[in-house]
Amino acid sequence: MSTHDPRPARPALPELVTPAEVAALFGVDAKTVTRWIAHGRLPGVRTPSGHHRLRRTDIDRLLKDAGSASAPPSS
Amino acid sequence: MSTHDPRPARPALPELVTPAEVAALFGVDAKTVTRWIAHGRLPGVRTPSGHHRLRRTDIDRLLKDAGSASAPPSS
DNA sequence: TAAAATTAGGGTAATTAGGGCG
DNA sequence: AATGTCCTAATTACCCTAATTT
């Protein structure tokens, strides 16, 4: 029983990035990123005005799935 | 505004490049590059819509490695 | 408040994926 | 087995203007 309430209930605010950021990472146009969200291909939040924002964690997950390098072009 | 807003837009260079870009570097058709990825000969990322993207670092590594026959990086 | 940069939205041309063929 | 070219359908890039953000 902790006499004190540390109140560490930190919801860990997700780091939101702009479509331009994601576009630069994927090597596509920012408009394409918004299109991905619009088509439900990519999870993203929307500002009350209609601007898109994406969670860096989601983006990082997609990028890490690439399996960077370690693939010698030999059989 | 609350103090300064640390949003320096990040470096965010095009980390991923298109098959056409890689194809031009290797002197092959873009379709060949996608085939390399399909056959697992080259590491690549897949955009949420199915298009291929390759890591610039991987490509640069392969190209650099190509001339390692006799090219000591003297200072 | 004003200005500059970014974003959304529409429209059109270029690129890409996928299969098949030589 | 590997690469290039032809085809169609889907996706993307760049043009513009208006709204939003910083």
Side-chain angles (χ1 to χ4, degrees), chain A residues 41-53:
Chain A
R41 301 183 182 280
L42 200 62
V45 272
R46 203 146 194 199
T47 66
S49 315
H51 282 209
H52 295 96
R53 286 219 131 128

Side-chain angles (χ1 to χ4, degrees), chain B residues 14 18-19 29-31 45-47 52-55 57 62 65-66 68 71 74:
Chain B
T18 61
D29 191 87
K31 183 133 190 166
V45 203
R46 206 96 186 219
T47 65
H52 291 107
R53 286 295 186 280
L54 301 99
R55 293 186 181 278
T57 54
L62 290 175
D65 217 49
S68 63
S74 52

Side-chain angles (χ1 to χ4, degrees), chain A residues 28-29 32 35-36 41 49 51:
Chain A
V28 298
D29 191 87
T32 301
R35 200 176 294 120
W36 287 342
R41 301 183 182 280
S49 315
H51 282 209

Side-chain angles (χ1 to χ4, degrees), chain A residues 22-23 26-43 54 59 62, chain B residues 46-51 53:
Chain A
V22 180
F26 274 96
V28 298
D29 191 87
K31 186 69 68 74
T32 301
V33 177
T34 63
R35 200 176 294 120
W36 287 342
I37 304 176
H39 283 69
R41 301 183 182 280
L42 200 62
L54 305 97
I59 307 307
L62 290 175
Chain B
R46 206 96 186 219
T47 65
S49 48
H51 280 212
R53 286 295 186 280

Side-chain angles (χ1 to χ4, degrees), chain A:
Chain A
M1 47 296 240
S2 42
T3 45
H4 295 133
D5 266 40
R7 305 218 120 282
R10 201 128 336 251
L13 294 173
E15 193 175 356
L16 299 178
V17 294
T18 60
E21 289 256 354
V22 180
L25 291 172
F26 274 96
V28 298
D29 191 87
K31 186 69 68 74
T32 301
V33 177
T34 63
R35 200 176 294 120
W36 287 342
I37 304 176
H39 283 69
R41 301 183 182 280
L42 200 62
V45 272
R46 203 146 194 199
T47 66
S49 315
H51 282 209
H52 295 96
R53 286 219 131 128
L54 305 97
R55 303 179 191 280
R56 181 168 281 278
T57 53
D58 293 332
I59 307 307
D60 186 61
R61 176 177 300 182
L62 290 175
L63 293 175
K64 84 165 181 66
D65 214 49
S68 55
S70 307
S74 284
S75 38

Side-chain angles (χ1 to χ4, degrees), chain B residues 1-72:
Chain B
M1 47 296 241
S2 41
T3 66
H4 287 76
D5 226 277
R7 201 145 317 237
R10 312 246 167 181
L13 297 180
E15 187 174 318
L16 303 178
V17 296
T18 61
E21 183 81 32
V22 179
L25 293 173
F26 279 94
V28 297
D29 191 87
K31 183 133 190 166
T32 302
V33 176
T34 61
R35 274 200 266 245
W36 286 343
I37 304 175
H39 284 279
R41 300 184 178 283
L42 207 59
V45 203
R46 206 96 186 219
T47 65
S49 48
H51 280 212
H52 291 107
R53 286 295 186 280
L54 301 99
R55 293 186 181 278
R56 185 180 291 270
T57 54
D58 293 335
I59 306 307
D60 185 64
R61 178 180 302 182
L62 290 175
L63 293 174
K64 169 176 71 75
D65 217 49
S68 63
S70 55

